[in-house]
Amino acid sequence: MMTRPFGPTGREIATIGQGSWYIEQGDKRAAVAALRRGLDLGLSHIDTAEMYGDGRSEAIVGEAIAGRRNETFLVSKVLPHNASKTGTRAACERSLRHLKTDRLDCYLLHWRGPHPLAETFAAFEGLKAEGKILSWGVSNFDVDDLDEALAAAGPGAIACNQVLYHLRERAIEHAVIPWCERNGVAVTAYSPFGHDDFPSPGSAAGRVLGEIAASHGATARQVALAFLTRRATVFAIPKAAGMAHVEDNAGALHLALTEGELARIDTACPRGPKPRSLPML
């Protein structure tokens, strides 16, 4: 199974995890079962946020990890408008109640907002000192934001940057991933299959994915996940709301692509020019 250190935390984490955006909109029992099946298969990194369903996603995750907390690398996020020094603490404590746990393995600022980064980071450090979070990071940060965050926090403090990354949106390869590699920060790819725009089997890109998948006895989505996590700092958190999808996602943990296959995907799904601002959902 493919694992690697999660940034400066030193924790060995599977390259593929489980996302929970919108899982509260489906069948709760199915979502809980899928998340638990993911844990069975080694998908220990479970990501959620206070924004997702106003805490309902966190509650579902909490039910899924009941009795299995020590198996789970648990991540949640604070909304920017809550990220003052006192607001961050209050938001974290709400998330812990929803999740029915005493700690988060990593706590993220969901995106830049009105509060100074130094204030948010001071709150993170206070929560870390109390053991309520074990590490912290950011989400949707471009290089300028990361430079400012590093200046505010100092080296070795930022565990991760969670960003949009899929085959049709590879903007972070231009500068964000290299920055994180230089500074020892993990990159977590959210929405790694895109937002209803995964290459169709009949498209040119879809045919390449299909041919590579067939040669490995794999699926096109497993090939996509293996491509996205090919670099040593990158993790991916596809949504985990159904048993079949979770089992398919887990198959990517055992898939290694050749340099030739990586080059074929790179050509079929080009990263394009660097955008003026970082894409996000």
Side-chain angles (χ1 to χ4, degrees):
M1 183 173 69
M2 183 70 72
T3 65
R4 57 186 51 144
F6 191 81
T9 70
R11 290 276 300 276
E12 282 281 330
I13 304 298
T15 55
I16 310 301
Q18 305 187 76
S20 64
W21 196 11
Y22 294 126
I23 63 168
E24 78 284 350
Q25 296 184 7
D27 181 83
K28 177 183 172 182
R29 287 179 296 180
V32 169
L35 288 164
R36 292 181 71 85
R37 179 59 177 154
L39 290 176
D40 294 340
L41 296 170
L43 307 183
S44 58
H45 176 176
I46 299 181
D47 177 85
T48 188
E50 67 169 338
M51 183 187 82
Y52 301 165
D54 293 324
R56 286 177 291 150
S57 169
E58 289 179 322
I60 290 170
V61 170
E63 186 171 335
I65 66 174
R68 306 185 67 172
R69 177 64 186 89
N70 291 338
E71 299 174 46
T72 308
F73 187 85
L74 184 60
V75 180
S76 192
K77 310 178 200 71
V78 58
L79 280 164
H81 64 260
N82 287 335
S84 66
K85 191 168 184 179
T86 57
T88 298
R89 171 174 294 277
C92 181
E93 291 173 348
R94 280 195 304 273
S95 291
L96 293 174
R97 287 195 298 272
H98 291 152
L99 290 158
K100 294 184 172 61
T101 185
D102 62 350
R103 69 198 185 281
L104 295 171
D105 293 284
C106 196
Y107 196 33
L108 309 180
L109 174 61
H110 211 147
W111 64 85
R112 291 295 302 268
H115 300 289
L117 292 180
E119 186 176 339
T120 305
F121 296 169
F124 285 163
E125 287 294 332
L127 291 164
K128 186 177 176 182
E130 295 172 24
K132 292 182 177 180
I133 66 175
L134 304 186
S135 65
W136 59 265
V138 296
S139 182
N140 296 302
F141 270 39
D142 207 344
V143 167
D144 289 347
D145 302 311
L146 290 166
D147 283 337
E148 186 178 338
L150 181 63
I158 305 166
C160 125
N161 184 22
Q162 187 180 121
V163 282
L164 179 65
Y165 187 37
H166 57 84
L167 292 179
R168 296 191 186 277
E169 184 47 81
R170 296 173 54 191
I172 64 168
E173 294 180 16
H174 287 281
V176 171
I177 291 179
W179 189 100
C180 290
E181 289 173 339
R182 289 194 304 273
N183 291 282
V185 174
V187 175
T188 301
Y190 71 79
S191 297
F193 299 134
H195 198 65
D196 298 324
D197 61 351
F198 189 77
S200 65
S203 67
R207 287 193 295 273
V208 169
L209 295 175
E211 290 167 5
I212 294 171
S215 71
H216 288 275
T219 67
R221 288 180 181 248
Q222 289 169 353
V223 170
L225 289 173
F227 178 83
L228 295 173
T229 58
R230 69 199 183 278
R231 294 170 76 152
T233 55
V234 182
F235 302 78
I237 47 168
K239 182 180 176 182
M243 199 73 72
H245 286 159
V246 168
E247 292 176 349
D248 191 63
N249 294 340
L253 291 173
H254 310 281
L255 177 60
L257 302 177
T258 68
E259 290 299 321
E261 289 166 341
L262 294 173
R264 287 187 69 195
I265 298 167
D266 181 60
T267 300
C269 304
R271 70 180 184 178
K274 186 179 185 296
R276 297 182 70 176
S277 59
L278 187 71
M280 60 180 286
L281 293 178

